[in-house]
Amino acid sequence: MLELHRISKSYPGVDALRGVSLAVGAGEVLGLVGENGAGKSTLIRIVSGAERPDGGRIEFEGETAGFASPADARERGIAVIHQELSLVPQLSVRENLFLGAGWSRRGILRRRWEGREARRLLGLLELDIDPDARCSELSLGARQAVEVAKALALEPRLLILDEPTAALSPREARALLRQVRGVARRGAAAIYISHRLEEIEAFADRVAVLRDGELVHGVDRRGPTGGGDGRLPLDRDELIEAMVGRSLSMEFPPRLPEAIGGPRLEVRGLSAGRRIRDVSFDIRRGEVLGLAGLVGAGRTDVARMISGAMASDGGEVRLDGRRLDLRSSRRAIRSGICLLPEDRRGQGLVLSRSARDNFALPNLDRFRRLRGVVDRRREGRAFSRWREQLDIRLSSPRQRVATLSGGNQQKVVIAKWLERGARVVLCDEPTRGIDVGARYEIYEWIRRIASEGKSVLLISSELEEVLGMSDRVLVMHDGRIRGEIPDPARADPAAVLRIAAGIGLSEEPPVA
Amino acid sequence: MPEGDGGRVGRWRRRLLDLLGRNLSVVVLVLLCLISSVATWREQNPITSRSGGAVARQVLEACQASCSVLVVARDTEADRVFAQAIEQGLDAAGARIAGSVFGQPRDVRLELERIAGAGDSLDAIATHRIASDWGPVRTAGVRVFAPRSYHWPTFLTARNLLNVVNQNADIAIIALGMTLVILTAGIDLSVGSLLALAGVIAAVAVQEWFGGTAASPAGLLAAMLLGVGAAALGGLLSGTMVTAFRVPPFVATLGLMMVARGLALILAVGHQRRLVGGGAEGTPEAVRVDAAAFAWLGNGAVLGVPNPIVLMLVLFVAAHLLMTRTMFGRYVYAVGGNVEAARLSGVPVTAVLLAVYCLCGAFAGLAGIVDASRFEGGRPNAGELYELQVIAAVVVGGASLAGGRGRIAGTLIGAMIIAVIQNGLNIAGVASYEQKVVFGALILAAVLLDRLQPKIASRRARMTRASTSTPVQ
């Protein structure tokens, strides 16, 4: 039904897709897996018309198709269900199902027809949901199911689901997947993306594995491109090997002869609802502790809770033996903990202000004269010192950070925390969206502050990076710490991924 | 910065865009002043001490120092100053002043008759353009001297300019506080009502607690502080609603706007009842303040500059320093630019917002005191629709309603633009209904500018980056 021929797409600095060929037939569910950044989202965006490929050909139902826009793709029968819900919470299920579909007669809604149709669609999915219930009153699983029903209302030929179960409990996820199977039985095709390999195993007819923008495992019309014919049952270990592949030989600065000391930050029983459960670990002086895991495993939440950015509902954190007050970022910063947030532009910087102002923001009390007047000379001197040390490229300290490159922006964030003299630095995806050169400089900086006796928590979705940079790695899955890798430099990435994917764990985690 | 020959044109274009983007409001203000000047190009016959001196010199030039002169002027303050200057000029040269008339043409006739009756000689009459057309003056049979008239824009006279600024000092003062609020991406609709409330409270306090006519300077000061404090408290209340209860600023301050206005009216009517002794009608009237010193703030002057202008300038300088030199200022900009980043950088966001709303209230209160002092009483209906004029001033001054962008100096310019438009329309004789249309159009134009500015900025940024970026290794 859908055939992709040698699709390629590159963004500045990255080849997101390199000649990917893929086919899905009617009545088939194709599982699409791959590490973060392997190119899954790009592929979906191209198929759904949100992006145009640089090269290659798309055939849909036998015709060569080049979708001009998502609306065009929708018209042709391709429905995408995104991770984020697109329902209007204030409206009822029925209203959401037909929102934007324009099923009216001369501008007047056909409410009775809508009600009938809504019940039919929900019945199709064996859902017991009142069409007149408000979406905000439904559980997350039910809402996700409504999302599927909404897509079905368009009678799609191809249904694409991008990690639809990430936020669902296992039971809800299984119900949803059964519905997807039902759709396929009625003759449509489905592409199903998930990190949960057990779901893929149970529900997909075939699996395609993407790695670094290439299809490394799977089937197109001409036959298998990788090892195996893609037919299930698939060996999960084999899938993981395919996802990880050989090392891209990313370069890391040499480890400095650092002495790792005693525990500096002690985290005990940190919890937050269903998302984070009983997380405990230590970071020692001079240690870089990696935190690996898939997106949504709760790594960011852990960092945010330790830095006071997010409230926890249990547990405690001690810094050099003293219990920390984590009620606000301000307090955490005062006690020497700082966070390089994952969303640099949204959380790390005030884009409308200058580089120097951003640098000075948490440090103003250090540049203060009496009565809160900022000593601009002292501020300027401090900034130019870090600017030189970190090689931040600016036309002037007053240049707005919005106009800087990703790497230089990140360096401004780093500079502000270095000036603060933090004892613990929590780095959440510190190299995301940063070019190779600046990336290396950030690695060097991480090494250096560790050798100065500071403690670093390094969160990264790139396994290479976590393993290459850390002295020790913890692996999170589903809000818990599920494994520890004592010697990451020699660890098997596949083993880490296995833990992160929740394979081989003592079955389903209890539903809270 | 590598730049070839092609870069030169680009650089000039960039500079021009830079100038336009950064100082658009200054350009607009200058333009408006020019337009107002051209539109008010009139024959000028100033009645001032300077023109008086000029007449005296004319007289002395024409006839010898020994001549005898009658000075004619109307019975107004400006005329007296004018006449006094003539007399001084003549006196200094030793000329004889036969008499001085302050009044109507009839008074001139009587004076001429008196001089004739006394047998005095009369060589000249010194007066101004208006009185020189009076019948008795023209038919007196002696030479009449008046200052030479000249052409000059009425708008561009020191008197008018001072007047323009003075009339709008209260708007400008409130706009200061509003700038802070808008910088944090908020809005404060309650300023007009807080102005009235502060004025009424101060007036009632003087009359009922601090001795009315006999109020001491300390008592007056206390009453004024009480008014400002009440307005600041109102601002704090808005701030609490916004921070602690996450009420949108628009709604929180809309509520306060009605409450404060109501309180001002209740207080004024209550005071009136107590004065009349019970059965007064519930109509809002200003609470008159009898203490003469109370009027000083609004009507006095320092070195010829009206007090409200002095106060306004002092506050602007203070606010400018606050916003550019202090931690607080940086915090306000950070909160407005990106609350989340500010919070994660350890900025006490809640405290900053509370302070900002509190300051805005206090500035409104201060403007209320100026207003009450100017009208020698607290007017419960003062400041109606001020919030809109003030917001217009701030936005015209270049602040972004989305927060994080704007300057104190810009707001001063914005307030002046509003003032100049109003004044220009007044002098040009545009009726008040049409003025409303122009004001509305102005606000729309300003908001449109607000929307267009990021485009200009991004264009500038692109050009800057194109010329400064070095290849990444």
Side-chain angles (χ1 to χ4, degrees), chain A residues 121-382:
Chain A
L121 284 167
L122 295 172
L124 221 57
L125 295 171
E126 295 163 32
L127 289 173
D128 184 25
I129 297 174
D130 176 11
D132 290 315
R134 270 207 203 181
C135 279
S136 55
E137 294 162 5
L138 301 179
S139 75
L140 211 50
R143 269 185 268 177
Q144 194 65 264
V146 171
E147 196 91 31
V148 175
K150 184 179 170 187
L152 290 184
L154 298 164
E155 293 178 3
R157 302 298 301 144
L158 174 65
L159 190 61
I160 300 173
L161 299 103
D162 188 0
E163 295 216 38
T165 59
L168 302 188
S169 73
R171 212 165 50 93
E172 288 173 323
R174 274 195 298 277
L176 180 74
L177 287 163
R178 265 199 302 279
Q179 292 155 14
V180 174
R181 273 248 64 102
V183 172
R185 257 201 306 279
R186 282 188 294 279
I191 297 180
Y192 181 76
I193 299 169
S194 179
H195 279 307
R196 297 189 177 179
L197 295 183
E198 70 274 11
E199 289 175 7
I200 298 281
E201 191 185 50
F203 291 98
D205 296 313
R206 288 189 303 130
V207 181
V209 182
L210 277 176
R211 190 177 70 220
D212 298 327
E214 282 179 281
L215 193 65
V216 292
H217 191 100
V219 176
D220 65 16
R221 268 160 74 110
R222 283 185 301 278
T225 58
D229 63 354
R231 296 266 164 225
L232 292 172
L234 253 161
D235 183 0
R236 275 196 241 174
D237 283 338
E238 201 184 313
L239 266 185
I240 284 181
E241 292 297 340
M243 283 165 71
V244 175
R246 284 179 326 281
S247 154
L248 255 171
S249 76
M250 211 184 257
E251 276 202 56
F252 299 101
R255 279 165 206 265
L256 301 170
E258 65 228 49
I260 293 180
R264 163 151 271 168
L265 189 79
E266 298 162 84
V267 178
R268 294 288 173 271
L270 209 56
S271 310
R274 277 173 53 177
R275 292 159 68 185
I276 302 298
R277 302 181 226 186
D278 194 23
V279 167
S280 302
F281 60 86
D282 290 347
I283 312 182
R284 287 171 285 183
R285 268 164 229 268
E287 184 181 42
V288 178
L289 177 71
L291 199 52
L294 300 171
V295 171
R299 298 164 304 166
T300 295
D301 288 346
V302 168
R304 282 173 63 82
M305 284 192 283
I306 296 174
S307 66
M310 182 180 136
S312 58
D313 48 37
E316 61 167 41
V317 177
R318 288 175 179 276
L319 179 64
D320 290 330
R322 275 193 31 231
R323 192 180 169 162
L324 290 180
D325 177 355
L326 299 178
R327 275 175 300 170
S328 74
S329 300
R330 192 173 173 76
R331 290 169 215 259
I333 290 166
R334 286 260 157 91
S335 33
I337 294 188
C338 64
L339 170 72
L340 252 70
E342 165 186 40
D343 178 5
R344 190 170 52 238
R345 297 168 70 87
Q347 301 180 342
L349 294 166
V350 184
L351 290 176
S352 53
R353 304 303 293 170
S354 71
R356 190 191 52 201
D357 279 6
N358 271 283
F359 159 77
L361 197 54
N363 299 310
L364 286 174
D365 53 343
R366 304 163 70 92
F367 308 137
R368 176 176 53 184
R369 285 191 302 223
L370 283 177
R371 290 172 211 287
V373 175
V374 179
D375 185 339
R376 294 204 277 190
R377 202 171 305 160
R378 211 164 355 140
E379 178 191 16
R381 271 201 305 270

Side-chain angles (χ1 to χ4, degrees), chain A residues 13-14 36-37 248 250-253 344 393 405-408 410-411 414 429-447 458 460-466 469, chain B residues 472-473:
Chain A
V14 203
N36 299 312
L248 255 171
M250 211 184 257
E251 276 202 56
F252 299 101
R344 190 170 52 238
R393 280 167 223 170
S405 71
N408 281 314
Q410 188 70 293
K411 284 182 190 174
I414 290 171
E429 305 281 1
T431 61
R432 174 173 291 176
I434 288 173
D435 65 79
V436 184
R439 207 175 248 252
Y440 192 81
E441 291 176 66
I442 286 169
Y443 293 148
E444 282 182 320
W445 167 75
I446 289 176
R447 285 259 196 273
L458 174 65
S460 174
S461 291
E462 293 184 45
L463 260 182
E464 290 254 15
E465 185 172 286
V466 188
M469 284 300 301
Chain B
V472 185
Q473 53 277 52

Side-chain angles (χ1 to χ4, degrees), chain B residues 353-409:
Chain B
L353 285 174
L354 281 178
V356 160
Y357 281 93
C358 184
L359 270 176
C360 185
F363 278 122
L366 213 50
I369 301 301
V370 171
D371 181 273
S373 167
R374 181 177 285 158
F375 293 96
E376 292 168 40
R379 305 181 304 148
N381 282 320
E384 264 176 354
L385 293 182
Y386 264 29
E387 56 279 353
L388 299 184
Q389 284 197 55
V390 167
I391 292 167
V394 174
V395 174
V396 168
S400 160
L401 288 174
R405 210 182 64 224
R407 290 181 303 165
I408 295 295

